[in-house]
Amino acid sequence: EQEFEEVEITEEEEKAIKQLAKSRDIYEKLTNSIAPAIYGHDVVKQSIALQLFGGVKKSLPGNQSIRGNIHVLLVGDPSTGKSQMLQAANNIAPKSIYTAGKTTSAVGLTASAVKDDFGEGGWTLKAGALVLSSGGICMTDELDKMDPEERSALHEAMEQGRVSVAKAGIVTRFRADTSILAAANPKLSRFDQYTPFIEQINLPPTLISRFDLFFMIKDVLDKTKDEAMAAKILSTHKSGEILSQYKKKGRTLKKGEREEIDAIAAPAIDPRLLGKYISYARQNIFPMMSKGAMQAISEFYVGLRDSGRKEGSYAATPRQLEGLVRLSEASARVRLSDVVEREDAERAIRLLKASLSDVVTDPDTGRIDYDIIATGVTHTQVTNMKKIL
């Protein structure tokens, strides 16, 4: 029930927010504020940070609207920190709801019809997670474990920002202006490097294509990375042990010890201030595209389309173009800027490239082929099928 507008921000906090937005390394600080105990995944964390700030929802003449919500999908090997990143975003977001896999039903996501035994005995509708988190973010863990009927409830909410309900003689619509951050596992728990992404995930292409960014989080066997990760995990555990021991014995940390623990495990920005920062930006900042930003996005999009034009495949669709606009607006909101600069567009392009490089690269040709997401098969496979037919 609480919208961003209702979050109280004092004058001191507003001053701290504006000072924070001027920091040269504000994007690094945001990245280091999301699940700091999880090693790596900087691109994913920065994407979640931009998702929290969100793009601008536009109202057009003739009762038309364009969504400003950014949707992010994480698909990865077990024990790569997906759920922790979802929980971290859930703790930071000013308004959010966390749901998970088999515990969620279609009516749990949209709305349920309940008989009112205490009134006149009629039917009433109760809002579900997508409706309750409208104006905020909905975390959906174990998306692949949901039944197809439950998942189908996400389609309309993700694109149109509403939920249409026809239950017990009640036909109505709910507002579900909600960003979705979802996590899933591959069908066989781990990724197989020789099998296309789409064949390894138990999600329909129609749903995956609605996400602005999708990331494959792989557990890579790399000695240098393993050593760094082990050091990070062990130092985090030790910090927790010291804090627990001192708390039990009623002792206070010395200045040097506190600084050392903060450097290891503390987020770069206090979660309470970050929540208010996000709320302030979404409430007050509505940036407009500059010519430089529009040119950068247009060149990248047309370049992607050109790469597939000769082959007759689709390297991008207008959904990617709109996704770039939303990410650029979110990047400008981080700086509390009323103008989307070229640097914001370039940041959005980098994130989209990172997203597309793993997921929609045709293993046969090495080219980016968005048909993998849109239809579930690569352009090479479609061409071969046509030859056989």
Side-chain angles (χ1 to χ4, degrees):
E1 292 177 4
Q2 187 185 29
E3 288 288 354
F4 286 108
E5 287 78 10
E6 294 170 35
V7 176
E8 287 184 21
I9 299 169
T10 64
E11 282 185 28
E12 280 185 12
E13 285 169 336
E14 187 176 336
K15 195 176 177 182
I17 287 164
K18 287 179 177 176
Q19 191 64 38
L20 195 57
K22 289 176 184 174
S23 305
R24 280 189 163 187
D25 59 345
I26 181 59
Y27 297 98
E28 287 77 13
K29 281 182 178 176
L30 281 173
T31 303
N32 296 331
S33 298
I34 295 170
I38 300 295
Y39 175 78
H41 306 311
D42 287 351
V43 174
V44 177
K45 288 179 183 180
Q46 190 171 109
S47 301
I48 293 171
L50 292 188
Q51 182 188 29
L52 289 167
F53 280 85
V56 179
K57 185 182 179 183
K58 294 103 179 168
S59 298
L60 302 173
N63 200 25
Q64 300 175 85
S65 65
I66 303 172
R67 72 175 166 99
N69 295 312
I70 297 165
H71 304 307
V72 179
L73 173 64
L74 313 179
V75 185
D77 292 330
S79 190
T80 47
K82 300 184 300 298
S83 296
Q84 285 96 319
M85 284 191 271
L86 261 66
Q87 287 284 11
N90 187 39
N91 293 335
I92 293 165
K95 183 179 181 184
S96 64
I97 286 179
Y98 189 96
T99 62
K102 286 287 184 184
T103 61
T104 308
S105 65
V107 291
L109 282 173
T110 55
S112 57
V114 180
K115 199 159 190 179
D116 185 7
D117 295 325
F118 298 101
E120 296 175 359
W123 289 87
T124 57
L125 289 178
K126 285 197 173 180
L130 290 172
V131 180
L132 290 173
S133 55
S134 183
I137 186 165
C138 184
M139 323 290 164
T140 311
D141 205 356
E142 306 287 353
L143 184 65
D144 55 312
K145 310 292 190 301
M146 277 189 195
D147 293 329
E149 295 77 27
E150 271 82 77
R151 280 202 305 261
S152 65
L154 293 170
H155 287 73
E156 185 189 12
M158 290 178 77
E159 202 58 58
Q160 275 78 42
R162 63 172 186 259
V163 168
S164 302
V165 180
K167 293 178 189 290
I170 306 169
V171 180
T172 188
R173 276 181 182 171
F174 284 114
R175 192 167 76 103
D177 189 19
T178 309
S179 296
I180 292 173
L181 174 57
N185 289 108
K187 281 181 191 174
L188 303 173
S189 290
R190 285 193 183 278
F191 280 117
D192 173 15
Q193 59 177 323
Y194 303 110
T195 309
F197 166 82
I198 203 74
E199 291 176 23
Q200 299 189 62
I201 180 168
N202 189 29
L203 294 172
T206 50
L207 183 62
I208 298 172
S209 65
R210 279 172 165 76
F211 286 94
D212 297 286
L213 297 171
F214 18 74
F215 293 101
M216 287 171 73
I217 303 176
K218 295 179 181 177
D219 186 1
V220 182
L221 295 169
D222 181 305
K223 189 176 179 182
T224 309
K225 190 181 171 185
D226 291 343
E227 285 171 350
M229 187 180 286
K232 173 73 175 175
I233 292 169
L234 291 170
S235 58
T236 304
H237 275 268
K238 189 179 178 183
S239 300
E241 288 165 355
I242 292 167
L243 287 170
S244 300
Q245 197 178 88
Y246 275 40
K247 193 177 178 182
K248 286 282 182 187
K249 293 180 179 179
R251 291 163 62 190
T252 54
L253 289 167
K254 293 173 187 174
K255 190 182 176 183
E257 290 174 322
R258 168 58 67 187
E259 286 172 356
E260 190 180 339
I261 288 171
D262 283 351
I264 293 165
I269 305 169
D270 179 72
R272 189 168 166 275
L273 179 64
L274 181 51
K276 295 201 173 190
Y277 180 11
I278 292 164
S279 179
Y280 180 86
R282 291 187 73 141
Q283 183 182 339
N284 297 294
I285 308 299
F286 301 93
M288 290 192 295
M289 303 276 283
S290 67
K291 281 187 178 179
M294 290 172 78
Q295 187 182 2
I297 291 172
S298 176
E299 285 172 0
F300 175 70
Y301 174 70
V302 173
L304 269 182
R305 296 282 288 182
D306 273 339
S307 68
R309 211 183 304 276
K310 293 172 188 174
E311 297 288 323
S313 65
Y314 292 86
T317 67
R319 272 186 179 156
Q320 277 67 58
L321 181 63
E322 292 191 336
L324 284 170
V325 172
R326 285 188 283 270
L327 289 164
S328 302
E329 289 166 350
S331 176
R333 269 184 165 169
V334 168
R335 295 182 288 106
L336 303 184
S337 170
D338 287 324
V339 180
V340 179
E341 302 288 359
R342 192 180 183 96
E343 64 176 277
D344 298 310
E346 286 169 354
R347 183 170 290 105
I349 289 166
R350 282 198 300 274
L351 291 176
L352 186 68
K353 273 184 177 176
S355 168
L356 295 176
S357 63
D358 275 345
V359 178
V360 296
T361 301
D362 186 337
D364 297 310
T365 63
R367 292 194 188 95
I368 288 178
D369 179 9
Y370 195 75
D371 279 346
I372 296 170
I373 294 297
T375 63
V377 290
T378 66
H379 177 67
T380 308
Q381 289 171 319
V382 171
T383 307
N384 291 339
M385 285 178 201
K386 282 181 179 175
K387 285 177 184 174
I388 292 165
L389 286 170

